[in-house]
Amino acid sequence: MKISQKITRKLITLALIVILSAIFAATTSSFLKLINIQEILRVAAYTGIICVGVSFVLISGGIDLSSGGIICFTGIICCRLAVLGLPWPLVVLAAVVVGAACGFLNGWLITRFYLNDFITTLATGFVFSGFGLLAIAKEPSGTVMSQTIRNRGFLMLGKHVGGFYYIVIAWVVLTLIAWFVQTRTRYGLHTCATGSNAKSSEMSGVNVRRMKVMNFTICGACCAIGAAFTVAYQQTAYLSLGSGMGFDAVAACVVGGVMLGGGKGDAIGAFLGAVFMTIVTNGMRKYGLDTSWQYVFEGAVILIAIMSDAGFAVVSARRLKAISEKNANEEALMEAQKGGGAQ
Amino acid sequence: MSEELILRTENICKSFNGIQVLKNVNLEIRKGEIHALMGENGAGKSTIIKIITGVYTKDDGEIYIDGQHVVIDNRHDAAEAGISVIYQELSLVPELTVTENIFLGHEIMKRGLPDKKEMRRQVQALIDRYGFLLRPDEVVATMGMAQRQMCEILKALSTEAKLLIMDEPTTSLSASETEQLFVTMEGLREKGTSILYISHRLEEIYRVTDRLTIMRNGEVVGVVDSRTVQADTVTAMMIGHELEKTGVRVPNVNHDHCIEVKDLSLGNLLHNVSFKAYGGEILGIGGLVGSGRTELVSCIYGAVKNYKGSITLDGKPVSRSVAKNIRAGFGMVPEDRRTEGFFPQLSILRNIVISSYDRLSSLGFVRAGAESGHAEKAIADYDVRPAMKKLPLQNLSGGNQQKVILARWLSRDVDVLILDEPTVGVDVGVKAELYVYMRRLADKGAIIIMVSSDLAELTEVSDRVLVLHGGTFFQEFRDHKATQQAVLLASSGVAAKEGEVL
């Protein structure tokens, strides 16, 4: 049976997840415990929801490193509003609106002033974290005050039902919606086309600037959703919320086969990438390796992922070259026959 | 031998993928002459230059410099032999001064530091010797294009170049800058430097060169004295004998359905261009590369928006948004399909349907069945091979890629189709097919505008030809009256007798 490259890439990630899980399960006593699996899923869901948003930006050929800043800012907003006693749908809505506005700002800056998205989102990430610091509750003396959320409705978001945290359910739902949008709607296909070749897209009638702005906006909104669930789970928000997530989410997407530079990948790949990265981190911790080694392994995983993608490209290029050569030969033959017929 | 030769090539041959692009090319350039090289696109001019300068390696033949047999395997060998190329895209670093640029990479060192004084002295000596209007300490970014070119030439001379190769050096120069360059070239000739000059512009060939070598289909077809030769003779040699006309199509022109361009101006490129393109007719637009042809059609399509003037379709203004124009029935096959036309990693299917989601989706949801049906029909109708709709487009041959892009528009029955160099890199068989599809669309009453540098294509396929020169229409050829020679002359600014001047 012929399986498309898209599916092969996902099966490989899935197989690696299974193999790695089996190794960790066999060599550590606590990996396979229900509570650990719940924890893995919860952590993966946090990264995964961000990855959903980041995958949109990556597929459209951009990159967003400001997710950490947006998470910090919107998380702190959630905390403040929840402490005020607002009902949870309003709190989440407010966070999503602010997150989307942050994303929109990214997209607008990049398309309006023709900026490089890497540097722009790196810069706005700092700005958004700064907004977080401005928004956080402070003592009259100016020092940061830690607030504990007692808003029952909001805290519900951090709980679980039937063993599944709500954030995990949200993650799965968001991933499926994103996957559908990316592969089955005009919007998603225009996003993919923009990432594949922006100039061609423009000449084909795709509004490239609008696509870019929209995708950054979606990414900002996803960050806010991830932040809301995480703040509800931790019952408070703090300044380091979301730090490092900008890079982690991009890395997880890349591991899941979403190509940097655009045009390839989808939310399912990003989902698998998030699971994989979380399992690696969790397993390392089970081995008792300290953080430095975790970093080394995470970095190595990303390198291996992009190297294998490059290898993938070489192999498939060879295979397809063979097809097109065969095709060219047939054409030449036809040409010769035509010429022969005319004489 | 009466004259001393600086460069002589003997029976140079070169093939790419089994296709012979150079056949026994013998080129002779004398000491202290400005020698022109002309030929149509694809005649082999740039290939022979690239062999002489070591970019390509020859399959067969010999190169002699100053009577000495030399082996040129890479650019370094060429520089060693005294051959220097002045690139169109200048290779100067704008932030550095003239002196710094000239010695970039081979600075004169003194106690581990660059010896600025000595380098400056040497540059000044060079400037004095050749009488250039340059100052050694001037920063390149502050200089005009002509001065930059002089600096580039100076850089070549500093490495003791005996032969300078200039490939269309005047394309980015204004008239007075061009004249300045010619004076510089004449100065160099007096000092004994030889120049190989490549240009499409006949008036420049007359103005500055001594002899002219003409190439066609990879062969040298003649060497003439460029001061006395007739323009007709040159163009006849470039084209070869006229090709037989293959079945002239009688267009059914609908004068009520037309695109009218009125007083269109765009920066320095286009000045008050006005014309009409009618339904049922294939309108060809000729002119040299860089004459503004591509920009003109991009304005009509809405891809270039900052033009002055008006463009109307049946009396209604044409939008400056590509997306709106596509919905109104426009389509465009851009000049460079790689950068503007296709999506390399995406499938044939996606490449075909990308502009048709207005029909293939409801409320933003793609109807998968309609999408693949549309693509399958287009693949069959326009004979895309291989007929594998999931195959990434980058794996198709050039001709089939072009068919896919044409199918993108033809499959949605466009009303206005703009084609910019539609058959570049397309082999002969596919070319003929593309023409059939274009004619079929014209027979249905659509407006077709085709820009082309391929003279045979322009004169055979178009029902009417307009030639751009100097940013405006120079000449119009109606009712298939365009001949390759007349179009070529008009492109270089020489009016032919037959056509009607606008």
Side-chain angles (χ1 to χ4, degrees):
Chain A
M1 199 181 77
K2 225 175 124 248
I3 305 172
S4 82
Q5 193 190 328
K6 267 186 203 165
I7 298 175
T8 321
R9 180 66 174 75
K10 291 192 184 89
L11 287 178
I12 290 173
T13 318
L14 195 62
L16 286 174
I17 290 171
V18 172
I19 294 167
L20 207 62
S21 304
I23 294 171
F24 286 141
T27 52
T28 67
S29 56
S30 57
F31 183 82
L32 214 53
K33 286 210 171 112
L34 183 66
I35 190 159
N36 190 46
I37 292 173
Q38 276 184 334
E39 178 65 9
I40 288 174
L41 285 177
R42 190 190 62 76
V43 176
Y46 175 35
T47 314
I49 288 176
I50 314 306
C51 283
V52 168
V54 170
S55 73
F56 274 95
V57 174
L58 289 179
I59 293 168
S60 72
I63 192 165
D64 190 351
L65 300 177
S66 71
S67 358
I70 300 180
I71 292 168
C72 173
F73 184 28
T74 54
I76 285 166
I77 286 175
C78 281
C79 177
R80 298 293 309 254
L81 294 179
V83 168
L84 285 178
L86 259 62
W88 71 266
L90 268 184
V91 176
V92 175
L93 183 70
V96 168
V97 169
V98 173
C102 292
F104 181 85
L105 181 71
N106 280 332
W108 180 78
L109 285 170
I110 287 162
T111 54
R112 175 69 180 76
F113 300 105
Y114 303 97
L115 303 179
N116 172 295
D117 20 17
F118 189 96
I119 302 298
T120 309
T121 54
L122 194 64
T124 56
F126 290 125
V127 172
F128 299 142
S129 302
F131 286 165
L133 179 58
L134 290 176
I136 203 163
K138 297 187 193 75
E139 307 276 4
S141 65
T143 50
V144 172
M145 181 171 78
S146 89
Q147 287 183 311
T148 307
I149 302 169
R150 298 205 169 73
N151 181 336
R152 289 230 178 142
F154 183 75
L155 289 181
M156 229 255 310
L157 294 178
K159 300 279 185 299
H160 51 79
V161 58
F164 289 103
Y165 281 98
Y166 283 109
I167 188 173
V168 177
I169 297 167
W171 172 39
V172 173
V173 171
L174 278 176
T175 301
L176 289 176
I177 294 174
W179 174 76
F180 182 81
V181 169
Q182 284 164 359
T183 57
R184 294 283 186 275
T185 68
R186 182 177 175 172
Y187 179 83
L189 300 176
H190 279 185
T191 298
C192 190
T194 303
S196 177
N197 188 338
K199 187 73 198 167
S200 292
S201 302
E202 218 169 312
M203 295 296 277
S204 308
V206 175
N207 189 333
V208 170
R209 290 170 73 173
R210 192 197 295 159
M211 297 314 294
K212 289 202 162 175
V213 173
M214 280 300 293
N215 285 318
F216 275 106
T217 308
I218 290 174
C219 187
C222 286
C223 292
I225 295 172
F229 280 106
T230 304
V231 167
Y233 174 79
Q234 291 171 337
Q235 307 191 357
T236 186
Y238 41 85
L239 275 175
S240 63
L241 189 70
S243 80
M245 187 54 95
F247 283 103
D248 286 355
V250 171
C253 283
V254 170
V255 168
V258 182
M259 199 166 79
L260 279 182
K264 243 183 193 175
D266 56 45
I268 303 278
F271 181 98
L272 294 172
V275 173
F276 185 78
M277 293 305 279
T278 312
I279 287 179
V280 171
T281 315
N282 184 277
M284 291 290 128
R285 208 167 289 153
K286 291 279 170 283
Y287 280 145
L289 291 176
D290 63 35
T291 328
S292 49
W293 280 108
Q294 286 176 34
Y295 284 144
V296 171
F297 278 105
E298 278 178 33
V301 164
I302 297 166
L303 278 176
I304 291 166
I306 53 173
M307 279 157 75
S308 66
D309 274 350
F312 233 115
V314 170
V315 170
S316 68
R318 267 191 213 138
R319 206 187 67 208
L320 291 165
K321 201 181 161 208
I323 296 177
S324 55
E325 263 169 17
K326 189 172 144 248
N327 182 48
N329 286 341
E330 274 169 18
E331 262 173 35
L333 203 66
M334 294 255 311
E335 209 48 56
Q337 282 166 352
K338 262 188 221 164
Q343 273 166 12
Chain B
M1 223 176 287
S2 56
E3 303 264 350
E4 268 187 286
L5 294 178
I6 185 77
L7 171 87
R8 183 160 69 88
T9 70
E10 204 176 88
N11 299 328
I12 302 266
C13 296
K14 177 77 186 171
S15 304
F16 288 113
N17 306 323
I19 300 161
Q20 194 160 24
V21 291
L22 289 183
K23 287 166 226 157
N24 300 323
V25 173
N26 296 313
L27 201 59
E28 294 188 343
I29 299 170
R30 292 174 190 156
K31 265 190 191 157
E33 82 164 338
I34 302 180
H35 192 105
L37 183 60
M38 282 189 95
E40 275 198 283
N41 293 337
K45 287 173 306 193
S46 41
T47 314
I48 183 74
I49 298 300
K50 283 181 177 162
I51 285 173
I52 298 169
T53 53
V55 179
Y56 295 156
T57 47
K58 58 187 188 299
D59 295 343
D60 203 6
E62 308 296 339
I63 300 174
Y64 298 89
I65 302 272
D66 259 345
Q68 301 280 309
H69 178 248
V70 291
V71 179
I72 296 176
D73 283 336
N74 51 45
R75 286 165 217 239
H76 184 74
D77 291 347
E80 209 68 336
I83 299 171
S84 237
V85 190
I86 309 298
Y87 292 101
Q88 252 179 53
E89 292 305 318
L90 303 176
S91 60
L92 300 173
V93 182
E95 288 78 15
L96 301 182
T97 65
V98 171
T99 306
E100 285 165 337
N101 264 295
I102 287 172
F103 281 100
L104 192 62
H106 50 97
E107 291 86 354
I108 299 171
M109 304 299 272
K110 194 173 156 189
R111 282 183 244 109
L113 292 169
D115 187 350
K116 287 190 180 169
K117 254 189 196 162
E118 174 60 18
M119 289 193 283
R120 194 180 177 287
R121 196 192 59 73
Q122 290 195 11
V123 170
Q124 188 63 56
L126 270 173
I127 290 173
D128 293 344
R129 186 167 153 212
Y130 291 101
F132 282 8
L133 296 165
L134 283 176
R135 278 179 288 124
D137 297 324
E138 204 160 358
V139 175
V140 168
T142 63
M143 311 193 313
M145 281 310 292
Q147 277 186 305
R148 288 186 198 199
Q149 222 146 21
M150 278 185 202
C151 180
E152 189 88 15
I153 294 170
L154 206 59
K155 191 173 168 182
L157 295 172
S158 75
T159 59
E160 318 244 303
K162 298 170 194 159
L163 174 65
L164 287 182
I165 299 175
M166 303 174 112
D167 190 355
E168 301 224 35
T170 57
T171 34
S172 49
L173 300 186
S174 69
S176 66
E177 285 175 327
T178 303
E179 191 50 38
Q180 233 179 314
L181 176 73
F182 290 162
V183 172
T184 310
M185 286 168 66
E186 281 161 348
L188 290 174
R189 175 169 57 193
E190 271 163 40
K191 304 269 180 215
T193 310
S194 307
I195 297 174
L196 180 57
Y197 187 82
I198 299 155
S199 174
H200 280 108
R201 298 179 198 198
L202 272 172
E203 66 264 35
E204 290 179 2
I205 305 289
Y206 284 128
R207 162 72 183 79
V208 77
T209 68
D210 303 310
R211 291 195 308 151
L212 166 63
T213 295
I214 297 157
M215 290 184 75
R216 184 178 72 232
N217 293 335
E219 286 177 285
V220 171
V221 290
V223 183
V224 294
D225 187 325
S226 48
R227 294 186 189 276
T228 53
V229 71
Q230 295 289 311
D232 305 16
T233 321
V234 175
T235 50
M237 285 168 99
M238 280 167 67
I239 298 160
H241 56 90
E242 285 280 311
L243 292 165
E244 253 181 83
K245 295 240 177 200
T246 48
V248 172
R249 190 181 78 99
V250 182
N252 183 13
V253 180
N254 175 5
H255 288 272
D256 296 332
H257 182 39
C258 81
I259 280 198
E260 183 172 11
V261 173
K262 247 192 209 160
D263 296 327
L264 186 139
S265 297
L266 181 75
N268 283 327
L269 267 171
L270 298 169
H271 310 289
N272 298 319
V273 174
S274 300
F275 71 99
K276 286 181 180 179
Y278 299 104
E281 165 193 67
I282 300 175
L283 174 67
I285 295 183
L288 297 178
V289 173
S291 62
R293 302 172 311 181
T294 298
E295 289 75 11
L296 174 63
V297 290
S298 301
C299 288
I300 299 175
Y301 188 54
V304 171
K305 303 170 206 303
N306 55 336
Y307 59 84
K308 292 195 192 82
S310 80
I311 303 173
T312 53
L313 173 62
D314 298 341
K316 288 183 213 89
V318 168
S319 164
R320 296 191 190 208
S321 138
V322 172
K324 278 187 192 155
N325 284 337
I326 288 175
R327 259 175 274 142
F330 281 57
M332 176 155 178
V333 177
E335 179 180 12
D336 187 345
R337 62 173 168 266
R338 272 172 203 289
T339 59
E340 301 187 342
F342 70 34
F343 305 96
Q345 306 106 343
L346 303 192
S347 60
I348 295 176
L349 177 142
R350 286 281 142 79
N351 271 282
I352 291 175
V353 302
I354 183 71
S355 299
S356 296
Y357 282 119
D358 51 342
R359 296 172 193 188
L360 303 174
S361 65
S362 349
L363 301 169
F365 297 107
V366 172
R367 284 177 279 130
E371 186 192 33
S372 78
H374 182 93
E376 274 164 15
K377 184 165 181 301
I379 289 171
D381 283 355
Y382 304 106
D383 192 28
V384 175
R385 270 178 279 169
M388 294 159 66
K389 63 180 180 198
K390 293 272 163 95
L391 194 70
L393 197 71
Q394 58 195 357
N395 302 104
L396 267 61
S397 67
N400 277 293
Q401 287 172 351
Q402 198 70 340
K403 278 191 198 171
V404 167
I405 293 170
L406 203 61
R408 179 188 295 162
W409 303 116
L410 297 179
S411 65
R412 53 180 279 130
D413 294 320
V414 284
D415 183 37
V416 179
L417 183 63
I418 299 164
L419 303 130
D420 194 354
E421 303 281 13
T423 59
V424 168
V426 171
D427 58 63
V428 188
V430 177
K431 247 186 204 182
E433 272 181 79
L434 294 179
Y435 297 151
V436 170
Y437 301 141
M438 282 160 61
R439 287 186 166 141
R440 220 180 272 163
L441 182 68
D443 288 340
K444 282 189 200 161
I447 301 170
I448 300 185
I449 302 173
M450 176 182 74
V451 169
S452 179
S453 298
D454 182 338
L455 293 173
E457 169 174 297
L458 200 62
T459 50
E460 301 272 305
V461 182
S462 329
D463 302 313
R464 183 158 63 99
V465 178
L466 290 169
V467 178
L468 265 177
H469 177 78
T472 191
F473 279 120
F474 187 74
Q475 203 166 14
E476 177 177 19
F477 301 93
R478 286 191 191 147
D479 306 325
H480 297 274
K481 280 208 181 107
T483 61
Q484 297 189 38
Q485 198 159 357
V487 171
L488 189 60
L489 283 171
S491 305
S492 8
V494 184
K497 295 134 213 160
E498 281 172 334
E500 304 155 61
V501 178
L502 277 176

